[in-house]
């Protein structure tokens, strides 16, 4: 049977960018920036994306396109009979575990779309937003319904296949996302005192720098670029043989970074404009922002209404293109490894993630059991984003940097000599030395040893 592929290069770029652009950009990036002091964090983040993230992304692309198999099988095919196959298995497992709890937050975005749509934020004050977020996220079944809706949306797009599901939906959702984000940033920047927010984003204060800022920026770059679990390797297995890996990685990195900065340009000017500090942490976009939206726009209710509706739609779309990519990693693996049909494979993934998602969601409210001192939601977040992704990224760079033949890595980068790749030695140096050392540092830091 012929392997599925993306129909066009731009479709491939948009799908990979769709995976990268997600809650990581609009939810995690602003609060990380906010709590790490703004512009200085952003500068370091940019360095991490371009110096570490892009080489590792190209390495993932190399593995996927070369093996023409989803990440779960690609390592085993390129290194038969070696333990490298476990890197693929680790990726599949990370995808499965992240998808469950990520869908919980993704589901919240749908609740906020509905509340915005029905104008439920109108007339509320700061305490009301805290209370309603807590009541909602700890409710025994309301978040579960949204979680299931979100998983089903993801499921149906994945079942439709690579070209008709993933590529087509990305080609629609990504441009809509761009338009929304540009309009929102424009509105936010035109608010009174937006200047203060802009300065926070653009004027670095280097006195805030410490090891935590460096390591936080690196971790954020991995999460945001979808690195370390083979999502991008799986997508690259659908790339055509003339897709340019370096160029694609640069485009995806650029789009992902642009969206993160634009999300900052929406959130910080709006927050400063109403005198709210931007360091609220993870609750920033679910508690602080609805409040900001109500107070901004000089009390013109219609503008507040439209702004918050557009914002939560944007968030839901961004999350959806990312959940699709995680789902695809596992679905493609089950399909290839066990010969199951895509729909059967997808049903298993969706059911599994529904269970882990439901348990994670309940762990934020009625279910108090803890494991290693963490509720299940926090445990999944910690184990996947902080341990499994960096470990995956480390192993992928070692695999391409040291295990794969140098000529093979060069052939993939240069499309068998058709493209010039003068940066190849630098790329290889980063994979061999810089990335492994840097990632080991994140790792050690996350475990609290540094
Ligand atoms: N990059 C996604 C985001 O920014 C999250 C993600 C991580 C997706 C790992 C796939 C794999 O939200």
């Amino acid at each position: 049977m012929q392997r599925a592929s993306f129909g066009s290069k731009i479709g491939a770029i948009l799908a990979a960018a769709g995976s990268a652009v997600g809650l990581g950009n609009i939810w995690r990036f602003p609060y990380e920036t906010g709590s790490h002091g703004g512009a200085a964090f952003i500068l370091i983040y940019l360095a991490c994306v371009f110096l570490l993230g892009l080489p590792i992304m190209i390495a993932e692309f190399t593995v996927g396109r070369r093996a023409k198999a989803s990440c779960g099988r690609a390592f085993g095919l390129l290194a038969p009979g070696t333990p490298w196959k476990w890197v693929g298995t680790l990726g599949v497992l990370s995808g499965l575990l992240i998808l469950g709890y990520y869908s919980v937050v993704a589901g919240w975005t749908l609740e906020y779309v509905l509340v915005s749509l029905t104008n439920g934020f109108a007339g509320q004050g700061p305490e009301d937003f805290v209370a309603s977020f807590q009541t909602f996220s700890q409710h025994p079944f309301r978040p579960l319904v949204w979680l299931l809706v979100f998983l089903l949306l993801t499921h149906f797009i994945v079942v439709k296949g690579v070209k008709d599901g993933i590529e087509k939906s990305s080609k629609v959702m990504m441009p809509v996302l761009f338009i929304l984000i540009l309009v929102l940033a424009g509105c936010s920047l035109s608010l009174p005192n937006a200047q203060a927010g802009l300065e926070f984003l653009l004027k670095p204060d280097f006195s805030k720098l410490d090891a935590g800022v460096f390591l936080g920026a690196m971790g954020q770059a991995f999460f945001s670029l979808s690195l370390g679990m083979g999502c991008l390797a799986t997508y690259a297995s659908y790339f055509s043989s003339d897709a340019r890996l370096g160029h694609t990685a640069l485009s995806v990195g650029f789009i992902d970074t642009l969206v993160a900065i634009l999300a900052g340009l929406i959130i910080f000017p709006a927050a400063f404009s109403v005198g709210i500090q931007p360091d609220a942490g993870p609750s920033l976009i679910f508690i602080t922002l609805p409040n900001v939206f109500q107070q901004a726009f000089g009390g013109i209710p219609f503008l507040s209404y439209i702004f918050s509706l557009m914002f939560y739609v944007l968030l839901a779309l961004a999350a959806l293109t990312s959940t699709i990519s995680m789902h695809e990693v596992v679905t493609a693996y089950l399909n290839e490894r066990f010969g199951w049909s895509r729909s059967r494979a997808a049903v298993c993934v969706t059911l599994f993630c529904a269970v882990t998602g439901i348990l994670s969601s309940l762990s934020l409210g009625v279910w108090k059991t803890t494991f290693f001192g963490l509720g299940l939601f926090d445990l999944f977040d910690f184990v996947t984003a902080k341990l499994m992704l960096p470990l995956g990224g480390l192993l992928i760079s070692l695999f391409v940097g040291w295990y794969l033949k140098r000529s093979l890595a060069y052939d993939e980068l240069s499309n068998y000599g058709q493209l010039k790749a003068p940066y190849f030695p630098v790329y290889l140096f980063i994979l061999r030395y810089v990335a492994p050392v840097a990632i080991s540092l994140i790792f050690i830091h996350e475990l609290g040893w540094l």
Side-chain angles (χ1 to χ4, degrees):
M1 201 179 75
Q2 223 207 327
R3 185 168 178 75
S5 66
F6 291 124
S8 63
K9 290 200 186 85
I10 182 74
I13 293 177
L14 288 179
S19 169
V21 172
L23 296 174
N25 305 60
I26 307 173
W27 170 57
R28 207 169 185 275
F29 178 79
Y31 83 68
E32 284 279 324
T33 306
S35 44
H36 284 121
F41 174 83
I42 296 182
L43 281 181
I44 295 167
Y45 175 75
L46 291 178
C48 291
V49 167
F50 289 95
L51 296 178
L52 279 180
L54 295 193
I56 296 179
M57 192 185 291
I58 299 176
E60 282 209 20
F61 285 163
T62 299
V63 171
R65 188 173 69 171
R66 181 70 179 203
K68 295 250 167 300
S70 69
C71 119
R73 281 174 65 246
F75 290 88
L77 289 174
L78 294 177
T82 67
W84 284 110
K85 67 166 186 265
W86 295 110
V87 181
T89 315
L90 179 78
V92 172
L93 213 63
S94 315
L96 210 51
L97 294 183
I98 298 181
L99 182 55
Y101 82 87
Y102 191 96
S103 300
V104 174
V105 182
W108 295 347
T109 67
L110 295 181
E111 164 85 6
Y112 275 64
V113 168
L114 185 73
V115 177
S116 305
L117 193 68
T118 52
N119 207 12
F121 293 134
Q124 298 204 23
E127 296 79 31
D128 303 322
F129 291 113
V130 178
S132 44
F133 176 71
Q134 280 172 353
T135 316
F136 163 68
S137 61
Q138 296 174 7
H139 195 276
F141 62 82
R142 206 174 159 92
L144 306 189
V145 174
W146 287 125
L147 156 75
L148 295 178
V149 171
F150 209 93
L151 272 174
L152 284 178
L153 281 173
T154 309
H155 176 96
F156 286 118
I157 295 174
V158 170
V159 167
K160 274 192 150 288
V162 173
K163 202 186 280 179
D164 295 334
I166 301 176
E167 182 175 358
K168 235 188 200 163
S169 61
S170 309
K171 274 181 158 169
V172 176
M173 288 195 276
M174 292 307 283
V176 174
L177 190 142
F178 265 119
I179 296 172
L180 282 178
I181 206 161
L182 285 176
V183 173
L184 285 166
C187 290
S188 187
L189 284 170
S190 63
L191 291 170
N193 202 26
Q195 190 71 17
L198 207 57
E199 270 176 23
F200 180 76
L201 262 184
L202 301 180
K203 261 202 190 150
D205 171 4
F206 291 107
S207 67
K208 298 252 169 58
L209 290 190
D210 59 14
V213 175
F214 277 93
L215 299 168
M218 218 177 336
Q220 172 62 20
F222 273 93
F223 187 82
S224 186
L225 294 170
S226 302
L227 295 177
M229 59 162 276
C231 252
L232 297 179
T234 302
Y235 273 15
S237 73
Y238 309 130
F239 285 0
S240 60
S241 56
D242 61 348
R244 294 179 289 162
L245 301 190
H247 176 264
T248 308
L250 198 62
S251 312
V252 173
F254 178 74
I255 295 173
D256 189 67
T257 308
L258 187 69
V259 171
I261 305 272
L262 285 171
L265 284 180
I266 296 175
I267 292 168
F268 297 118
F272 277 92
S273 150
V274 295
I276 286 181
Q277 284 304 312
D279 55 359
S283 63
L284 184 68
I285 60 170
F286 292 106
I287 295 178
T288 315
L289 275 193
N291 181 32
V292 168
F293 296 159
Q294 287 314 304
Q295 292 185 39
F297 306 108
I300 302 173
F302 179 70
L303 288 181
S304 300
Y305 173 81
I306 284 290
F307 196 89
S308 59
L309 181 59
M310 284 200 296
F311 181 82
Y312 290 108
V313 169
L314 167 76
L315 202 57
L317 286 180
L320 186 58
T321 50
S322 296
T323 51
I324 291 170
S325 71
M326 298 173 208
H327 201 297
E328 175 64 20
V329 169
V330 194
T331 300
Y333 172 70
L334 296 177
N335 167 257
E336 292 169 12
R337 174 76 178 72
F338 301 108
W340 297 354
S341 67
R342 272 183 79 84
S343 43
R344 180 169 171 203
V347 168
C348 293
V349 179
T350 303
L351 284 178
F352 184 90
C353 293
V355 174
T356 53
I358 287 174
L359 293 176
S360 315
S361 183
L362 292 176
S363 77
L364 296 173
V366 289
W367 186 37
K368 300 280 177 236
T369 313
T370 57
F371 306 84
F372 309 103
L374 295 173
L376 202 64
F377 181 97
D378 296 322
L379 184 74
F380 279 144
D381 180 53
F382 182 81
V383 171
T384 55
K386 302 204 166 149
L387 300 182
M388 292 167 88
L389 290 188
L391 183 63
L394 174 71
L395 294 171
I396 290 167
S397 30
L398 293 176
F399 182 72
V400 176
W402 292 100
Y403 178 83
L404 281 190
K405 279 210 192 83
R406 196 186 153 96
S407 58
L408 186 156
Y410 183 75
D411 287 346
E412 282 301 322
L413 194 66
S414 66
N415 287 354
Y416 290 85
Q418 284 176 19
L419 307 170
K420 289 205 178 72
Y423 55 92
F424 181 71
V426 181
Y427 159 71
L428 207 62
F429 180 79
I430 293 178
L431 290 185
R432 287 188 165 181
Y433 304 103
V434 183
V437 171
I439 300 168
S440 306
L441 283 178
I442 313 187
F443 216 40
I444 293 170
H445 174 72
E446 298 298 357
L447 289 172
W449 298 336
L450 193 83

